[in-house]
Every structure is written in C-alpha cells, then in structure tokens.
Amino acid sequence: MSEIYQHPIFGILLTVIVFFAARALRSKIKFVLFNPVLVAITLIILFLVILDIPFEDYNKGGTYLSFFLGPAIVALGVLFYEKYELIKHNIYPFLLAVGCGGLISIASVSLISIAMHAPDVLIRSLVSMSVTTPIAIEITKITEGIPSLTAGVVIAVGVFGNAFGSGFLKLVGIKSQTAVGTALGTAAHGIGTARAIEIGPLPGAYSGLAMCVNGILTTLISPYVVLWIVGSL
Amino acid sequence: MSPLRSRLQLLKAFLWIFLFLGIGELIRYVSNVPIPGNILGMILIFSALKFKLIRLKDVKPASDQLLKYMVLFFVPYGVGLMAYFDFISFYWMMLCVIAVVTTLLTLYITALVQQKLEKHE
C-alpha cells in the first residue's frame, strides 16, 4: 500500500481534491475561518497523520504544485502593471505608506523576538511575515529559516488580517477606504487583499499593489536585518 | 476567437511568463544578488510591460490563471508544518504575540500614512 503514497500523483491528487472541496465549502459558508487554504492544510495534515503517511511521501507530489509558485510570482508583476494605472495620481503617498508599513513590520518582528529571547530560527523564519506566501518562502530560503513555519504563520496572519483588519482600522479612526486597502495588502498580503476587494474595486487595487511593493521591499531589506541581528546567514 | 486560437495564446502567454522567470533565475545565478530569481522576473515583466516591450494581452491569459490558483500552489508548504508540531507547541505563545502585535501595528501605520498624505479627486 505504501507504494501508492510514494507516487507523486498521490500528493497532487490529495491536494487538488481537498483544496477544491474546501473552496466549495467556503462558497456555501461565508465564515472567515473556513478560508480554503487553512481548511485544506488542516484536512491534509489530519489525513496524513491518521494514515501515518510521512510528509516526505506526500511532498513527492507536493513539489510539483510548489513549482508553480515561481511563475505565479512573475504573474504578480503583470497584476502590478494592470493596477498601476488606477493609483498613478497617488503613487508617492502610496509608496511611502507601504514603505513605512513594511519597515514597521520587519522592525516589530525583530524587536519582539529579541525582547522575548526568541531563538534565531524564529527571526529567520518570521522576518517576512507580512508579505505574500510565495515571496515569504523565498525570503526564508535566503535567511535560512524554516519555509513551512513561514508559510503557516503568513497564512495565519492573512486570515487574521482578513477577519479583523478593517474593523480594527475603523476602531482606531481610519476613514479612507483606499488607506484600508493599502494597509490590508501591506500587512496581510493576498488573503487581506481578498477582504479589500470586498470593500470595493479601488481599495482592492491598492491592496494588490501594496502586496507586490511590500514583497519587493521586504525581499531587499530582510536578509540584511537578519544578518545584522543574528550575525550570520 | 476560435477555441484553438485561444489555447495557443494561452500557451504563448505561459511561454512569456516562463521566459521572464528564466531570465530572472539566470541573473540571480550569474550575479549572486540576494534577490530570488522569480522576484527579479516579476520586476522585469513589469518593466517590459511599462516600456511596451510586450503587450498586456500577450501575458494576461497565463498570469490570470496563475494568480487564480496561486493559493493552491502553497498548500504543500503549509502541510509541511506537520513536521514542526513540537516546535510550534513549545513556541506558540511567542508566535502569537509576534504575529498579532506586528500585524496590527503594520495595518495602523500603513493606513495612517496613506490617509494623511493621499490626494482626493
């Protein structure tokens, strides 16, 4: 029986079937914790644990899917070009806002980690916490953290931002919908952007762009921050 | 447009995306910059569109598909968390504090700067 699990098609089929089932569930029940990615990951882990299948066997197929993260990141550049026209007149305030947010995110992760005496691997894995999952994984490979830990935390941050982001911003006195969009994209990447699109197409565009810009910014800065704090890469 | 023609355009669009990915990886390989090749590819394809070296309709069929299913592609990394149960159960408090404080702070600062500086038509 174990030969079947070791075939790449097992991991591919399991992921695709569970993912589309989770998406169908989400379209029936609009509850934020039923985020398709979150549900799919939880169900697949349960399945593998219960049947005692090692992650390595599953990932023989999983790597075929992960491979497409590369071209998907390139596709973000196309998205950026499409949305760029919409916000051209506000480009400088927008870039400054994303820049401040991105830097605050890196600084906050670093300072809290130091204050709580977190192990180095935590800073290495979480420094890219706010950016979109595929880019965060790439950054973690450079900073030599644990890519799976990054993916887990980044997805959790996205779901948190999606659920509470706009409510929190209203509470602290943010009235501009485009500012809410920029903030959701900067802090909670694609899953936050999904929320911004619900608010409106323009906040959605700001959010998508903010996700791309913060991805580039964090890629450029975080290796040096990690090098500075931890002392090695 | 005939179905065959639109299939061919989709194929061509994927080739463009992979070409830019390849150029990005090549630059990363020869120059040793600490930027992943796929992110270089993303910057390059944006520049190529901006300077009209390629047209949006050449690449859009493929980029739309890739973005639509992007979340599916990172599911295997999320499943990889199962190998770190002990690590997470030991550090869960720290992880929660870092994630929640950082996210709220980032949301607030970003929104505040944008709201203060943006122009309205």
Side-chain angles (χ1 to χ4, degrees):
Chain A
M1 193 58 189
S2 72
E3 300 91 74
I4 296 176
Y5 303 144
Q6 288 178 357
H7 198 282
I9 204 70
F10 164 72
I12 297 173
L13 273 182
L14 178 66
T15 312
V16 172
I17 292 170
V18 174
F19 176 77
F20 283 101
R23 239 178 37 166
L25 180 75
R26 176 60 195 257
S27 65
K28 294 256 187 305
I29 310 163
K30 289 273 174 216
F31 176 53
V32 68
L33 280 181
F34 282 12
N35 175 286
V37 188
L38 202 63
V39 171
I41 290 170
T42 314
L43 289 179
I44 295 171
I45 290 181
L46 280 176
F47 183 88
L48 297 178
V49 168
I50 289 168
L51 293 186
D52 200 23
I53 302 165
F55 173 70
E56 287 71 28
D57 286 356
Y58 160 79
N59 206 34
K60 285 197 174 87
T63 46
Y64 284 89
L65 292 170
S66 314
F67 165 78
F68 284 98
L69 285 175
I73 292 175
V74 177
L76 283 174
V78 181
L79 174 80
F80 191 100
Y81 173 78
E82 278 185 86
K83 307 283 183 196
Y84 172 76
E85 293 294 318
L86 288 171
I87 71 147
K88 230 164 148 184
H89 61 289
N90 260 326
I91 191 78
Y92 292 111
F94 165 79
L95 287 177
L96 199 65
V98 179
C100 290
L103 291 177
I104 285 287
S105 170
I106 296 172
S108 166
V109 171
S110 309
L111 293 176
I112 298 173
S113 300
I114 294 170
M116 293 181 88
H117 302 287
D120 288 352
V121 68
L122 223 67
I123 302 180
R124 289 177 189 277
S125 309
L126 298 190
V127 70
S128 56
M129 199 184 74
S130 297
V131 310
T132 183
T133 315
I135 296 182
I137 289 168
E138 290 300 325
I139 295 172
T140 298
K141 286 179 189 163
I142 291 177
T143 56
E144 293 183 347
I146 305 167
S148 283
L149 183 63
T150 307
V153 174
V154 166
I155 293 164
V157 161
V159 173
F160 176 75
N162 181 305
F164 304 109
S166 63
F168 164 75
L169 289 172
K170 209 173 186 176
L171 202 72
V172 293
I174 302 296
K175 289 183 186 69
S176 157
Q177 297 297 346
T178 46
V180 173
T182 307
L184 282 171
T186 307
H189 54 94
I191 306 177
T193 300
R195 179 77 191 90
I197 292 169
E198 285 171 18
I199 298 172
L202 196 58
Y206 273 87
S207 188
L209 279 172
M211 168 176 84
C212 296
V213 172
N214 194 26
I216 297 171
L217 177 85
T218 307
T219 308
L220 295 176
I221 295 172
S222 43
Y224 298 101
V225 174
V226 170
L227 191 63
W228 183 54
I229 294 172
V230 183
S232 70
L233 273 185
Chain B
M1 201 187 306
S2 71
L4 180 66
R5 199 142 158 225
S6 77
R7 291 269 166 77
L8 278 173
Q9 282 196 326
L10 182 63
L11 185 68
K12 236 172 72 184
F14 266 102
L15 288 177
W16 274 117
I17 300 267
F18 276 100
L19 179 70
F20 278 92
L21 179 61
I23 298 172
E25 296 290 355
L26 192 69
I27 294 176
R28 157 95 174 136
Y29 180 74
V30 295
S31 74
N32 239 332
V33 286
I35 305 171
N38 39 37
I39 291 166
L40 288 170
M42 161 178 138
I43 298 168
L44 287 172
I45 206 166
F46 170 75
S47 313
L49 286 162
K50 186 96 182 57
F51 297 113
K52 311 238 183 294
L53 298 173
I54 53 172
R55 291 164 303 176
L56 183 61
K57 71 178 180 70
D58 290 336
V59 290
K60 193 174 158 62
S63 69
D64 281 353
Q65 291 302 315
L66 286 165
L67 292 171
K68 193 171 160 197
Y69 294 108
M70 188 163 87
V71 288
L72 169 67
F73 304 145
F74 54 70
V75 167
Y77 273 103
V79 176
L81 267 181
M82 66 187 278
Y84 299 97
F85 273 148
D86 296 337
F87 184 90
I88 293 165
S89 54
F90 191 78
Y91 289 112
W92 70 273
M93 219 10 221
M94 227 178 243
L95 288 167
C96 286
V97 172
I98 295 173
V100 170
V101 174
T102 302
T103 305
L104 292 180
L105 207 59
T106 307
L107 280 168
Y108 180 59
I109 299 294
T110 312
L112 193 68
V113 174
Q114 165 106 16
Q115 181 169 269
K116 286 255 185 271
L117 300 178
E118 72 187 345
K119 294 180 278 258
H120 294 281
E121 287 139 300

